Amino acid sequence: MEEQAAPPRIDSREAFADGVRWGFAAAMADGARSITCVDPSFELWPLDDAALLDALTTWLKLPQRRLILLAATFDEVPRRQPRFTGWRAHWAHAI
């Protein structure tokens, strides 16, 4: 197993986004078959980030991969994260 870089210190909105990216990268590098994310609304998550979506696409193409997103509401996701909304439609079977 590869040694992972330390998680970023979260002291700003951008640092939070970096932390989310780091978490996804660490889980994928460790060979996770399932990634579960929980947030009240996912409004501040960097789900529209093209590089993150590319990495998730590569990961979801592997056998038996599942991305689980739990939220109280997804109402703001289509407006705030349109790239993710379109991407998700193609991967609904794994999300």
Side-chain angles (χ1 to χ4, degrees):
M1 179 178 4
E2 246 178 71
E3 185 176 327
Q4 296 293 320
R9 179 181 171 169
I10 298 176
D11 57 5
S12 67
R13 195 173 273 189
E14 185 57 35
F16 171 76
D18 289 343
V20 169
R21 289 182 197 96
W22 177 89
F24 276 116
M28 289 183 252
D30 281 347
R33 290 183 180 237
S34 178
I35 298 174
T36 301
C37 303
V38 181
D39 190 83
S41 65
F42 289 99
E43 289 179 30
L44 301 179
W45 286 56
L47 297 176
D48 238 31
D49 181 84
L52 177 58
L53 293 178
D54 287 345
L56 285 170
T57 298
T58 300
W59 177 75
L60 284 172
K61 287 180 179 178
L62 297 171
Q64 301 176 355
R65 296 309 192 261
R66 176 79 60 200
L67 176 62
I68 301 165
L69 302 175
L70 299 174
T73 180
F74 288 97
D75 293 347
E76 289 295 312
V77 171
R79 184 176 70 80
R80 292 179 181 253
Q81 315 218 33
R83 181 181 292 140
F84 171 77
T85 301
W87 174 87
R88 183 191 57 172
H90 298 287
W91 291 99
H93 64 282
I95 300 174

